[in-house]
Amino acid sequence: MSHYSPLIEELIDALRVLQGVGRKSAQRMAFNLLQHKREGALALSAALEKAVGHIGHCQHCRCLTEQAVCHLCASEKRDKTTLCVVESPADVIAFEQAGGYNGQYFVLMGHLSPIDGIGPEDIGIDRLIERAQSLQISELILATNPTVEGEATAYYITEQLRQMGVKVSRIAHGVPLGGELEYVDSGTLAHALSGRRVVE
Amino acid sequence: MSHYSPLIEELIDALRVLQGVGRKSAQRMAFNLLQHKREGALALSAALEKAVGHIGHCQHCRCLTEQAVCHLCASEKRDKTTLCVVESPADVIAFEQAGGYNGQYFVLMGHLSPIDGIGPEDIGIDRLIERAQSLQISELILATNPTVEGEATAYYITEQLRQMGVKVSRIAHGVPLGGELEYVDSGTLAHALSGRRVVE
Ligand SMILES: [Zn+2]
Ligand SMILES: [Zn+2]
């Protein structure tokens, strides 16, 4: 039996939809909101409703936005000849925060995963090809995650795009800058070793 | 400059009202909701609005509830002669989950803190005295936290209630059951030592 009143129980339950929030944290959040942050709770309620109601996918890059075309795709200042393929909208943000890239993006919103029934059409490969063609890109940069699924997805896209005569590149993987070798996992280290380059 | 669309930015910002959620987690939560859990997000929005709109304080114990009198205060099965004073609604839940107590509660919704301008009226001491009188309790159990503020609050309440001739007790503090001595902090250990009892 629950020790909470029905509405508190409902709130605790609803909070668990949030990533990383278990029952204990949800309880703490619920009490904290009701005791000290009622206005903030109402603002969050409104923001959730508005976001779900209005945010969809950019028709060019598939990232999340409330506009038909996101501000990155709409920008006149960005290079239209390179297209960087990432798995999630958060990856776009990571690149933008890092700086140094000024081209277009395409967000797969996932990766190929035959086990989960996620095929090429689910991650928008046809739209990626359309986009690459309509932009007449000179280079496609693969920035899927260095996981088994990410690599398989990168391989699949490479096969498709090569047929179109597009240059395809993969971002470098290896020891992170500032990382100490002894703390780097062995898979990364092996990858960094096999990907070594001659110093000229 | 933000790399998010205005509505996503607003959602990330709003999520930070939740206890323990920083900007990074809020970003992850926002993307996760919009990509995979839109129905859950709407349910959370509704639960927040309903909770803020309907949940207030029990008129007897001050705990959070959407009823005028909470189910614990309304229960005919609970002992009316003991009153346990706690700082927060979560403490009531902790006692109920632990079991072994079947009396009444009073929730201070905080503790005395002269520095923050929180005095006796803010934590409902007048209502606590009224409640103790109307129930004609035989014992008041102090279960405020073993912190400086919790102890000061317990001391203040003791002074008030003793004048009324009510027996006042404080829950025991010491080494937790199952806790290994070497991992217990020294304050707790000193407290456990000074609170030792003769084995009979
Ligand atoms: Zn876009
Ligand atoms: Zn009550």
Side-chain angles (χ1 to χ4, degrees):
Chain A
M1 181 210 132
S2 168
H3 299 292
Y4 304 99
S5 73
L7 282 189
I8 295 180
E9 186 63 45
E10 193 182 320
L11 177 58
I12 291 171
D13 219 56
L15 283 165
R16 296 191 58 191
V17 74
L18 299 169
Q19 197 174 32
V21 175
R23 181 152 177 99
K24 272 273 169 191
S25 331
Q27 286 173 17
R28 239 175 292 131
M29 285 175 174
F31 281 130
N32 184 256
L33 287 174
L34 290 167
Q35 280 180 257
H36 308 297
K37 298 171 179 168
R38 290 184 169 234
E39 278 188 35
L42 285 182
L44 175 55
S45 168
L48 284 164
E49 203 188 339
K50 247 199 292 181
V52 171
H54 293 96
I55 293 171
H57 297 283
C58 168
Q59 58 186 230
H60 287 332
C61 74
R62 294 181 98 210
C63 79
L64 294 166
T65 176
E66 62 265 31
Q67 283 116 23
V69 173
C70 78
H71 72 289
L72 293 173
C73 290
S75 168
E76 289 298 323
K77 292 184 185 148
R78 297 185 74 101
D79 174 23
K80 304 274 181 199
T81 67
T82 51
L83 183 55
C84 178
V85 179
V86 296
E87 293 188 23
S88 81
D91 300 333
V92 172
I93 303 299
F95 272 110
E96 288 301 298
Q97 281 171 348
Y101 180 69
N102 193 40
Q104 307 297 308
Y105 291 102
F106 189 87
V107 185
L108 300 169
M109 304 297 286
H111 47 236
L112 290 178
S113 180
I115 280 178
D116 304 310
I118 299 174
E121 61 289 352
D122 300 306
I123 58 170
I125 298 296
D126 42 352
R127 289 180 57 188
L128 168 60
I129 291 171
E130 270 173 44
R131 181 76 178 144
Q133 283 172 329
S134 76
L135 286 173
Q136 294 192 287
I137 57 168
S138 60
E139 183 178 359
L140 181 129
I141 301 168
L142 291 165
T144 53
N145 290 326
T147 57
V148 174
E149 294 87 355
E151 293 295 349
T153 305
Y155 180 80
Y156 183 88
I157 294 171
T158 304
E159 291 301 297
Q160 302 293 307
L161 273 285
R162 274 223 190 102
Q163 295 171 11
M164 290 168 49
V166 172
K167 176 174 137 196
V168 178
S169 63
R170 181 95 173 97
I171 58 165
H173 297 109
V175 177
L177 295 187
E180 291 182 59
L181 281 197
E182 63 173 311
Y183 298 117
V184 171
D185 70 284
S186 53
T188 299
L189 210 51
H191 194 102
L193 187 66
S194 70
R196 68 190 179 278
R197 293 184 183 194
V198 175
V199 180
E200 305 191 64
Chain B
M1 178 210 136
S2 166
H3 299 293
Y4 303 99
S5 72
L7 282 189
I8 295 180
E9 186 63 45
E10 193 183 321
L11 177 57
I12 291 170
D13 220 55
L15 283 164
R16 297 191 58 190
V17 75
L18 299 169
Q19 197 175 31
V21 175
R23 180 150 178 101
K24 272 271 168 190
S25 330
Q27 286 173 17
R28 238 175 293 130
M29 285 174 173
F31 281 131
N32 185 255
L33 288 174
L34 291 167
Q35 281 180 257
H36 308 297
K37 297 170 178 170
R38 290 183 168 234
E39 277 188 36
L42 285 182
L44 176 55
S45 168
L48 284 163
E49 204 188 340
K50 248 200 291 182
V52 171
H54 294 96
I55 294 171
H57 297 284
C58 168
Q59 58 187 232
H60 288 333
C61 73
R62 293 182 98 211
C63 81
L64 294 166
T65 176
E66 63 264 31
Q67 283 116 25
V69 174
C70 78
H71 72 289
L72 292 174
C73 290
S75 169
E76 289 298 323
K77 292 184 185 148
R78 298 186 72 102
D79 174 22
K80 305 274 181 200
T81 67
T82 52
L83 183 56
C84 178
V85 179
V86 296
E87 293 188 23
S88 81
D91 300 334
V92 172
I93 303 300
F95 271 110
E96 288 301 297
Q97 280 170 349
Y101 180 69
N102 194 40
Q104 307 297 309
Y105 291 101
F106 189 87
V107 185
L108 301 169
M109 304 296 288
H111 46 236
L112 290 178
S113 180
I115 280 181
D116 304 310
I118 299 173
E121 61 290 350
D122 300 306
I123 58 170
I125 298 296
D126 42 351
R127 290 180 58 186
L128 167 61
I129 291 171
E130 271 172 44
R131 181 76 178 144
Q133 283 172 331
S134 75
L135 285 172
Q136 295 193 284
I137 56 169
S138 60
E139 182 178 0
L140 181 128
I141 302 168
L142 290 166
T144 52
N145 291 326
T147 57
V148 174
E149 294 88 352
E151 293 296 351
T153 305
Y155 180 79
Y156 183 87
I157 295 170
T158 304
E159 292 301 297
Q160 303 293 308
L161 273 286
R162 272 221 192 103
Q163 295 172 11
M164 292 169 48
V166 172
K167 176 175 138 197
V168 178
S169 62
R170 180 97 173 96
I171 58 165
H173 297 110
V175 177
L177 296 187
E180 291 181 59
L181 281 196
E182 64 173 312
Y183 299 117
V184 171
D185 68 287
S186 54
T188 300
L189 209 52
H191 194 103
L193 188 67
S194 70
R196 67 190 178 280
R197 292 183 183 193
V198 174
V199 180
E200 306 191 63

